[in-house]
Structure formats: C-alpha cells, structure tokens
C-alpha cells in the first residue's frame, strides 16, 4: 500500500498551525501512520534555506524574485527526495504545511511569470502532485490581525517571516491566486472557510480528509 500526500495552504494567520496540530492528534488517536512536515524547512538543510529565505539579512540586501523562487525549489527538491517520496513509498500519510501551491500563490503574486512557474514545476515535480490540498481561506485583513497579535505577543525578536511585512494588496493577491488554483483543480484542491471558530474549521477539514484516506485504503474509524 502506498501512502498519500496532503498539503495545507493559506495566507499568513489563516490557522494552519493550529489545524495541523489538531489533525496530528486525530490521526494519532485513530492509530494511523502519519508524518508531518513543512516548507520551507522540512529537512536539516532546508531549515538553513528557510532562515536564508525568511530572515532579513544584516546587509539589508533582499533576494530578487528569481533567486527567491530557486531557493524555494531547492528546499522542495530536497524535501521530496529525502522525506516526502520515501514516506509515501513506506505507506505513510504525509501532511505538509505549505507546498507547491504556495509558490504559485506567493511568487506569482511577487511577479514571477506563469511561464517560469510552470517550467520550474515541471523540472522539480514532473507529474507529481499532492493527493489532496486544503486551502484555509480567509480575508487577509483579518488573518494579518492575528499575525500582528502573535508577533506582538512574541516580542520584537520574532521577525522571521518576510512576507508578513507585505502590503494588504499583496496578501489579497495571494488569496486570489489560491482561490484560482482551487477553481482550476477542483478534484485536488478544496477551499475551507477559515474565519469561523477552530472546532468548525477542524470538522470541515476532516470532512475532506477522511474520505480521501478511506479511498487510499486507510482504515478510518
Ligand atoms: P510559514 O511556514 O510560517 O507559513 O511561512 C513561510 C513563508 O514563506 C510564508 O510567508 C509563505 C512563504 N512561501 C513562499 O513564498 N513560497 C513558497 O513556496 C513557500 C513554501 C512559502
């Protein structure tokens, strides 16, 4: 039996981390074999790339869009080769916090052309796609308020996520691109309304995930 890849996407502050923690608890309670990871930074080398990508550099220099996307893909290629593909081959349920669709949404919103996005996707992924992608969909104005509250609570030292500082218009473009991907690939990608309380979001996510797991042959109670 081969495993499955489920990816969780969404704008900053859409509640991915909370929902992924809840999913981990649920899969464990069901006795299902799951592996949880994230991008960027799902491998030891990838963690270094994550830091290079998201932390501001002391020099003040920032990545040009082409260099940035190549680093996201370097992280992904390593993650696929050393963690994702082996775990799927071993029959695991692999859950990844952000994957390919984040590149399409964020780097697309940063101005990387559709042609470059497509060529890099072909180079690194070929025909490989997640079995199911869930986009936690919410208005960025509300989600960024959550991020601001979280950053405030953590103090001034927390400044890792370079895209937190982007404009509201940028985050609206990111959300629009996720919505567009869901329209283009309705069999793979589902939007889940993320503004309601976490219990309802968790129920909605599980309603998408559990049939997918059953179809893949997992015994879901
Ligand atoms: P997060 O893992 O804390 O959500 O932060 C990762 C940040 O990196 C987030 O702002 C989205 C961004 N990102 C991209 O721009 N492109 C990508 O391909 C991925 C995986 C993440």
């Amino acid at each position: 039996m081969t495993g499955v890849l489920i990816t969780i996407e969404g704008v900053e502050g859409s509640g991915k981390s909370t929902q992924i923690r809840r999913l981990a608890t649920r899969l464990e309670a069901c006795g299902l074999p799951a592996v949880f990871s994230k991008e960027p930074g799902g491998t030891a080398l990838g963690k270094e790339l994550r830091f290079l990508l998201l932390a501001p550099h002391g020099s003040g220099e920032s990545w040009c869009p082409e260099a940035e996307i190549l680093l996201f893909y370097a992280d992904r290629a390593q993650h696929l080769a050393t963690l994702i593909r082996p775990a799927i081959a071993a029959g695991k349920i692999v859950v990844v916090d952000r994957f390919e669709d984040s590149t399409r949404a964020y780097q697309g919103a940063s101005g990387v052309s559709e042609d470059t996005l497509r060529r890099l996707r072909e180079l690194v992924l070929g025909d490989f796609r997640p079995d199911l992608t869930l986009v936690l969909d919410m208005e960025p104005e509300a989600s960024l308020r959550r991020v601001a509250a979280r950053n405030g609570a953590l103090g001034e030292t927390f400044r890792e996520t370079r895209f937190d500082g982007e404009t509201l218009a940028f985050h609206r473009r990111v959300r629009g691109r996720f919505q567009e991907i869901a329209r283009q690939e309705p069999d793979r990608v589902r939007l889940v309304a993320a503004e309601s309380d976490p219990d309802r979001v968790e129920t909605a996510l599980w309603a998408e995930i559990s049939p997918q797991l059953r179809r893949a042959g997992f015994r879901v109670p």
Side-chain angles (χ1 to χ4, degrees), residues 53 63-72 107 110 162-163:
L53 276 161
W63 297 109
C64 70
E66 290 73 21
E68 185 171 77
I69 194 171
L70 289 168
L71 289 173
F72 277 115
Q107 278 59 61
S110 300
R162 103 141 182 78
F163 295 93

Side-chain angles (χ1 to χ4, degrees), residues 9-13 16-17 38-41 50 53-54 68-69 71-73 75-76 96-108 110 150 158 160-164 170-171 174 178:
E9 300 277 8
V11 293
E12 334 277 327
K16 287 184 292 102
S17 306
K38 68 191 243 173
E39 287 193 4
R50 180 180 176 96
L53 276 161
L54 301 180
E68 185 171 77
I69 194 171
L71 289 173
F72 277 115
Y73 266 109
D75 172 71
R76 184 160 304 131
V96 180
D97 180 348
R98 296 196 185 280
F99 190 63
E100 170 66 19
D101 298 302
S102 274
T103 306
R104 288 166 74 180
Y106 281 81
Q107 278 59 61
S110 300
R150 187 170 68 201
F158 184 80
E160 188 197 47
T161 303
R162 103 141 182 78
F163 295 93
D164 281 6
F170 173 83
H171 289 284
V174 171
F178 279 131

Side-chain angles (χ1 to χ4, degrees), residues 76-198:
R76 184 160 304 131
Q78 181 76 7
H79 196 205
L80 267 170
T82 67
L83 190 147
I84 296 178
R85 287 188 193 273
I88 292 173
K92 301 280 170 53
I93 299 164
V94 186
V95 180
V96 180
D97 180 348
R98 296 196 185 280
F99 190 63
E100 170 66 19
D101 298 302
S102 274
T103 306
R104 288 166 74 180
Y106 281 81
Q107 278 59 61
S110 300
V112 175
S113 73
E114 294 303 325
D115 187 49
T116 301
L117 289 169
R118 185 185 50 73
R119 283 195 287 159
L120 288 173
R121 180 165 68 241
E122 271 174 25
L123 180 71
V124 176
L125 297 188
D127 291 336
F128 182 89
R129 295 287 179 278
D131 297 281
L132 177 66
T133 296
L134 298 162
V135 178
L136 295 183
D137 180 55
M138 71 186 279
E139 163 56 46
E141 203 161 350
S143 74
L144 292 176
R145 267 201 302 275
R146 287 186 187 170
V147 174
R150 187 170 68 201
N151 286 356
L154 288 169
E156 278 305 301
T157 50
F158 184 80
R159 278 284 174 272
E160 188 197 47
T161 303
R162 103 141 182 78
F163 295 93
D164 281 6
E166 286 284 357
T167 61
L168 187 56
F170 173 83
H171 289 284
R172 290 209 169 115
R173 284 204 301 282
V174 171
R175 182 196 193 193
R177 294 182 71 93
F178 279 131
Q179 291 173 332
E180 181 57 30
I181 295 168
R183 271 193 292 276
Q184 288 169 356
E185 297 182 56
D187 291 344
R188 174 178 70 86
V189 185
R190 308 281 153 67
L191 292 181
V192 173
E195 234 154 309
S196 56
D197 76 86

Side-chain angles (χ1 to χ4, degrees), residues 4 17 24 27 32 37 39 41 49 59 74 80-81 87 109 116 128 160 164 169 172 184 203 207 212 218-219:
V4 290
S17 306
L27 292 177
L32 292 166
S37 192
E39 287 193 4
L49 289 178
S59 67
L80 267 170
T116 301
F128 182 89
E160 188 197 47
D164 281 6
R172 290 209 169 115
Q184 288 169 356
T203 304
Q212 180 71 41
F218 290 97
R219 287 161 63 97

